[in-house]
Amino acid sequence: MEALRFAWENGKYVAAICAGPTVLADLGITDGLKATCYPGCEEPLAGAIMKGAAVEVDGKFITGKGMGKTIEFALSILEELTDRETSEQIAKVTMFAD
């Protein structure tokens, strides 16, 4: 928890998938940000902007819905850390996208 709080407070990327965003909610990180999580875990994220997307990116805050969305989640993180072209190349090489 201390590492997550430190990362967020110091402008680092923070990402979580499945029920993980609830931990970020416990730290108050999700309030006012776009977020997503595993269906049924939304209550702790009451202060977040929830639209039900598979992956949400809000600045340096990245969340994913669950295990079935891990590739989309990973590619979103890759795009944020590099660029869209790199993410699209990896999607093609891994046969996630044509």
Side-chain angles (χ1 to χ4, degrees):
M1 297 290 270
E2 288 177 32
L4 287 170
R5 186 184 326 275
F6 177 86
W8 185 249
E9 289 174 354
N10 287 278
K12 306 299 181 191
Y13 282 92
V14 173
I17 192 169
C18 201
T22 63
V23 174
L24 304 177
D26 288 344
L27 293 171
I29 293 173
T30 61
D31 293 344
L33 298 176
K34 294 186 295 184
T36 194
C37 64
Y38 188 81
C41 294
E42 298 90 353
E43 188 177 326
L45 284 84
I49 302 163
M50 305 282 289
K51 296 183 180 180
V55 176
E56 287 285 6
V57 178
D58 193 339
K60 292 189 172 187
F61 181 69
I62 307 168
T63 51
K65 206 164 207 171
M67 186 179 80
K69 304 300 180 185
T70 54
I71 294 174
E72 293 169 68
F73 181 67
L75 290 170
S76 294
I77 292 171
L78 181 61
E79 182 175 335
E80 291 300 311
L81 296 176
T82 60
D83 54 47
R84 180 173 293 246
E85 182 181 335
T86 300
S87 179
E88 288 174 352
Q89 288 174 344
I90 297 300
K92 287 179 183 177
V93 169
T94 60
M95 299 185 69
F96 182 71
D98 295 328

